[in-house]
Amino acid sequence: MAKYILVMDQGTTGSRGVVYDEKGKKIAYDYEEYEQYYPQSGWWEQSGKALWNVTLRTAQNAIQKAGLKGTDIACLGITNQRETTTIWDKVSGEPIYNTIVWGCRRGAKICQNMIDQGYNDLVNEKTGLIIDPTYSASKIRWILDNVPGAQKRAEDGELYFGNVDSWLIYKLTKGRVHAEDYSNAARTMLFNAHELKWDDELLKIFNVPKCMLPEVKPSVGIFGYTDPEFFGAEIPITGVAGDQSAALFGQACFDEGDAKNTYGTSAVPLMYTGDTAPKTEKGLLTVAWGKDGKVKYSMGASILIAGQVIKWIRDQMNFIDAAAQSEEMSLSIPDNGGVYFVPAFTGLGAPHWDPKARGMLIGITAATTKEQITRAAVESMAYQTRDLLEEMEKNSGIKLKELKVDGGAAKNDFLLQFQADILNCKVVRPKDTETTALGACYLAGLGAGIFKDEEEIKGLWEADRVFEPQMDDETRERLYSQWCKAVEKSKGWLD
């Protein structure tokens, strides 16, 4: 019998259910977006219930589209937006507040207070991160502070916290399992990345009760079994990883110095460092995944706004009707006309770490066109990627030779050529650009014994196109210098 793998790919703006065969080939998928909420400037929320319902529905639809039944599915893999935070009643399973999204900056004051008390070095040493509202700790603290009675309920053991993987596992098992994997736990700012456990000192600093935290497990292995109600069968959950770690795995980045960038709502360049955990004061270290009782490390962090800037161009400015048109508009003009777009809608993430920055268009004249603004928006993804990769090179001592790319915007040839030009290195696009889901497929397949090891997975990975740099050095550095100047002007806007 064929061994089919089901993946729940829970992204920031939507969820995707995907069915793969035993060779890692996609045979069916379903996708659905869900509503986003922005209660205040810099705040970003979702409905935990909607997130669950949409993710379950797309998974069920994918099985149906594949012409299969739940009994045909050998295992389930989960990949998810990472730092996004839900707190719920452990008995009823009802969230006590909306899910707070990774890009929400409401925790800025909480984080600044921790920085002012001198905790940044301690957090960096233990977690590999720096104190920033991106991570889950300040989101947990905000909910416990602002939902009446939440702190006491948490201390009394009535509440659970979870990143999205943990929330989905809890719902899929009908509350029987409260767990998450190393790669997600490592993005909370409460997990010791070296000792691989919840850190008691950090929990005390943030006043987070340990009893509300999930059990942390390796990314490969059995987390639990889905309730038969959902798929008509008990399916083992055998692979779990945060979206960026899953994409790194899906790109078969298993050698030290291998790097990828996922152009999703955000963009997260990651470089695989294996057993080595480089020290970085910029908060770039994270756990890549756990397997066979060990973890592997990577460097990287979130560029807060990447593909979302194209969504903004489409939905708010009405410059385009579909995201794919951004490529056509960019190619219709010879350059950006001196326009630079810094999409700091909710502040700047790595390596700038400025929650007070805000989005900025600069270089506008009376002759500026919507084509130039659109091109500047696309170019911003490439510039931000260089910002972060240069910092990773500096910290790791490893020179980037090529960049594997994936995600929705990786279909944009203009973006990838410009990325190769501005980085001055090869950019490689795989045949399957949805490598986040593919990585979860590989992890789950390993956990279920469908795939033997990483060497077998390397043999399954296929390149689609290689983009070689074509820009001369003088032009490259002139453009990048102007970008850096624009970024500096966007910082500290909210004083």
Side-chain angles (χ1 to χ4, degrees):
M1 290 180 64
K3 299 175 181 178
Y4 295 102
I5 301 167
L6 174 65
V7 167
M8 286 181 159
D9 180 359
Q10 202 294 304
T12 302
T13 54
S15 292
R16 181 178 285 102
V18 192
V19 176
Y20 295 90
D21 67 16
E22 70 273 17
K23 295 295 184 182
K25 298 295 185 184
K26 180 167 58 181
I27 62 170
Y29 79 96
D30 190 63
Y31 177 77
E32 185 179 335
E33 292 190 356
Y34 54 93
E35 192 169 358
Q36 311 288 318
Y37 304 97
Y38 306 96
Q40 297 182 27
S41 175
W43 289 30
W44 190 356
E45 297 177 1
Q46 298 164 350
S47 162
K49 288 183 180 179
L51 186 153
W52 156 244
N53 289 331
V54 169
T55 305
L56 175 63
R57 186 160 56 243
T58 56
Q60 292 170 332
N61 290 345
I63 294 175
Q64 186 177 17
K65 287 181 177 182
L68 302 173
K69 297 178 181 179
T71 51
D72 298 317
I73 305 299
C75 58
L76 170 65
I78 296 174
T79 183
N80 57 282
Q81 45 173 326
R82 295 179 299 174
E83 300 87 357
T84 295
T85 295
T86 306
I87 295 179
W88 64 92
D89 183 296
K90 64 185 287 187
V91 176
S92 70
E94 292 291 313
I96 66 168
Y97 187 81
N98 266 351
T99 293
I100 301 181
V101 184
W102 53 267
C104 181
R105 311 306 281 175
R106 76 183 65 195
K109 288 184 180 179
I110 294 170
C111 290
Q112 190 58 53
N113 182 48
M114 296 296 176
I115 293 169
D116 292 344
Q117 293 181 63
Y119 288 126
N120 199 54
D121 288 346
L122 177 69
V123 168
N124 180 254
E125 181 182 334
K126 287 174 176 286
T127 69
L129 311 173
I130 66 168
I131 296 177
D132 186 82
T134 300
Y135 307 115
S136 307
S138 67
K139 304 178 196 304
I140 299 171
R141 185 67 262 142
W142 189 94
I143 293 175
L144 296 182
D145 284 342
N146 287 275
V147 174
Q151 181 69 35
K152 185 176 187 305
R153 291 186 67 197
E155 292 171 356
D156 290 344
E158 297 177 15
L159 302 179
Y160 276 160
F161 150 78
N163 297 105
V164 174
D165 66 324
S166 182
W167 171 237
L168 293 178
I169 291 167
Y170 176 89
K171 298 296 284 185
L172 285 165
T173 62
K174 286 199 169 179
R176 290 187 291 273
V177 180
H178 182 219
E180 70 178 358
D181 95 299
Y182 285 126
S183 71
N184 279 289
R187 307 301 291 179
T188 60
M189 213 158 60
L190 299 172
F191 186 76
N192 193 307
H194 308 284
E195 297 178 5
L196 304 178
K197 64 180 184 179
W198 298 116
D199 192 282
D200 291 333
E201 188 173 8
L202 295 179
L203 293 177
K204 184 177 180 180
I205 289 170
F206 283 95
N207 193 20
V208 173
K210 196 171 188 177
C211 59
M212 69 186 300
L213 303 178
E215 178 186 358
V216 185
K217 292 173 169 267
S219 312
V220 175
I222 296 178
F223 282 76
Y225 296 83
T226 66
D227 191 272
E229 175 191 337
F230 304 124
F231 304 109
E234 284 192 340
I235 301 172
I237 304 167
T238 57
V240 178
D243 50 9
Q244 305 311 323
S245 288
L248 191 70
F249 205 91
Q251 288 278 32
C253 291
F254 305 137
D255 297 321
E256 187 174 299
D258 283 354
K260 70 89 197 173
N261 190 19
T262 299
Y263 302 95
T265 303
S266 64
V268 186
L270 284 190
M271 178 184 289
Y272 180 80
T273 61
D275 296 327
T276 304
K279 183 172 176 56
T280 163
E281 294 178 359
K282 289 286 189 178
L284 303 184
L285 176 68
T286 195
V287 175
W289 50 75
K291 179 177 172 283
D292 300 329
K294 299 178 181 179
V295 299
K296 300 297 182 182
Y297 293 95
S298 62
M299 295 187 69
S302 293
I303 295 165
L304 297 180
I305 303 296
Q308 192 186 358
V309 74
I310 306 304
K311 190 172 185 289
W312 183 82
I313 288 286
R314 182 192 69 189
D315 297 344
Q316 302 300 115
M317 296 295 100
N318 298 315
F319 287 175
I320 54 178
D321 296 320
Q325 288 179 269
S326 63
E327 178 182 9
E328 180 185 336
M329 290 185 75
S330 298
L331 290 168
S332 71
I333 52 177
D335 53 50
N336 63 12
V339 176
Y340 288 81
F341 192 157
V342 182
F345 295 165
T346 55
L348 287 169
H352 308 288
W353 300 115
D354 185 355
K356 295 181 179 179
R358 280 298 177 270
M360 184 182 70
L361 272 166
I362 196 165
I364 297 173
T365 70
T368 296
T369 65
K370 66 180 181 181
E371 286 82 7
Q372 290 168 336
I373 293 173
T374 300
R375 177 164 172 152
V378 176
E379 289 177 348
S380 73
M381 291 188 267
Y383 286 127
Q384 291 180 97
T385 300
R386 175 169 167 177
D387 287 348
L388 192 44
L389 284 170
E390 284 195 348
E391 190 67 33
M392 288 156 62
E393 285 181 328
K394 186 167 66 175
N395 280 261
S396 67
I398 300 170
K399 181 68 177 173
L400 180 71
K401 293 181 180 178
E402 68 175 28
L403 180 68
K404 292 180 176 179
V405 297
D406 52 71
K411 297 169 186 172
N412 186 323
D413 287 356
F414 168 78
L415 168 63
L416 300 194
Q417 184 57 58
F418 189 76
Q419 186 72 85
D421 288 339
I422 215 67
L423 283 176
N424 196 28
C425 78
K426 289 192 296 185
V427 169
V428 184
R429 179 172 62 201
K431 285 190 175 179
D432 186 347
T433 58
E434 297 297 341
T435 52
T436 303
L438 185 59
C441 162
Y442 289 155
L443 290 165
L446 283 171
I450 295 172
F451 305 126
K452 181 182 177 183
D453 53 27
E454 285 87 343
E455 283 303 312
E456 180 181 352
I457 289 169
K458 273 187 182 180
L460 299 175
W461 187 90
E462 296 178 282
D464 169 56
R465 181 174 170 184
V466 177
F467 295 82
E468 299 274 0
Q470 299 173 359
M471 188 178 287
D472 64 87
D473 292 344
E474 182 181 350
T475 302
R476 176 184 306 110
E477 296 313 310
R478 175 176 54 80
L479 292 174
Y480 186 63
S481 175
Q482 285 293 97
W483 162 259
C484 293
K485 188 176 177 182
V487 169
E488 288 304 310
K489 290 184 179 296
S490 76
K491 291 180 178 179
W493 181 255
L494 298 182
D495 198 359

